[in-house]
Amino acid sequence: ITVTGNSLTTPITVMTGVNGRYTVPGLMSGETYVVTVVSRRFVFTQPSRVVTLNDSVTDADFTGTTGTGREQ
């Protein structure tokens, strides 16, 4: 997961856990960021999302498909 935007001078990149969950520390509430996902195993029809932080965002989910078309 890579986050860019607003007051960030450089992108922040974090890895997801085994269940695909991720946390991005250091982001400021009230700012808008672009969250982008990249994977070697999955293809995402919408790999980037614009997210405005209020306090805690819990729905910045990405759904990918494998080469077989199975959702993950």
Side-chain angles (χ1 to χ4, degrees):
I1 302 290
T2 300
V3 179
T4 58
N6 273 351
S7 61
L8 296 178
T9 56
T10 59
I12 297 174
T13 301
V14 297
M15 300 292 288
T16 62
V18 295
N19 293 322
R21 296 174 194 239
Y22 61 96
T23 300
V24 183
L27 301 179
M28 302 297 293
S29 181
E31 294 201 18
T32 301
Y33 299 96
V34 177
V35 181
T36 304
V37 62
V38 176
S39 173
R40 288 185 213 128
R41 286 184 57 196
F42 301 103
V43 175
F44 298 89
T45 55
Q46 185 180 1
S48 295
R49 292 181 60 182
V50 175
V51 176
T52 300
L53 296 183
N54 294 320
D55 277 326
S56 179
V57 176
T58 59
D59 64 347
D61 298 326
F62 294 89
T63 302
T65 57
T66 64
T68 64
R70 288 183 35 223
E71 279 193 6
Q72 297 291 319

